[in-house]
Amino acid sequence: MRIEKVNSSIKRELANIILLGEVRDPRISFVTIINVDVSKDLQHARVKFSTLADTPKEIDAAKAGFESCKGYIRKLISKRVVMRYTPEFQFIYDKGIKHAAEVDKVLEEIKKLKPAQGDQEQ
């Protein structure tokens, strides 16, 4: 239960930090925080993110942006989320949203083809 609260608190604060532009790195300005998973000992946190443009160049730029301001983000989180230890962050690109969009696109194409096939059978 406690881990879930810590996860949601850190996720909320990370999203606010990015949304309010407290980190002035333009490489992470169009990033969405998808999920935060803190380890049981609260020493490490995996932060999954997505970018607006899912090109490899954008993804690499966002990763580099997070790596360059990782310490500053940790400092801001330590001031906002009251914990004994502030975890070390590992930023990971989440392919889930891009994959879901591709699945939706394929399903829409199938829906368009089905009525056409149904007309031919009758």
Side-chain angles (χ1 to χ4, degrees):
M1 184 65 131
R2 179 173 182 225
I3 296 290
E4 292 174 15
K5 287 182 180 180
V6 171
N7 288 341
S8 65
S9 295
I10 291 176
K11 178 183 174 186
R12 181 180 61 247
E13 293 304 327
L14 275 172
N16 286 335
I17 288 168
I18 293 168
L19 180 67
L20 300 174
E22 294 181 52
V23 176
R24 294 191 178 114
D25 194 328
R27 297 175 288 186
I28 61 171
S29 59
F30 295 108
V31 169
T32 303
I33 303 298
I34 303 298
N35 189 22
V36 175
D37 187 27
V38 178
S39 65
K40 290 181 182 179
D41 64 358
L42 304 175
Q43 296 292 317
H44 304 281
R46 288 182 158 182
V47 179
K48 294 183 180 177
F49 69 92
S50 176
T51 59
L52 188 61
D54 289 328
T55 63
K57 184 178 178 182
E58 289 277 333
I59 294 165
D60 291 341
K63 285 181 184 178
F66 276 125
E67 286 300 316
S68 71
C69 62
K70 188 188 304 190
Y72 182 65
I73 289 173
R74 186 174 185 216
K75 178 181 171 184
L76 292 175
I77 294 295
S78 71
K79 291 180 181 179
R80 296 177 183 196
V81 180
V82 180
M83 297 170 43
R84 178 174 284 169
Y85 302 107
T86 303
E88 289 286 332
F89 294 108
Q90 177 185 12
F91 294 95
I92 302 166
Y93 175 71
D94 186 10
K95 299 175 187 174
I97 292 178
K98 183 178 180 182
H99 182 69
E102 290 171 358
V103 169
D104 284 342
K105 184 178 177 182
V106 169
L107 289 174
E108 287 298 320
E109 289 175 9
I110 291 172
K111 284 181 185 178
K112 289 177 184 177
L113 291 176
K114 261 202 165 182
Q117 290 176 350
D119 291 341
Q120 292 173 355
E121 292 177 6
Q122 293 178 358

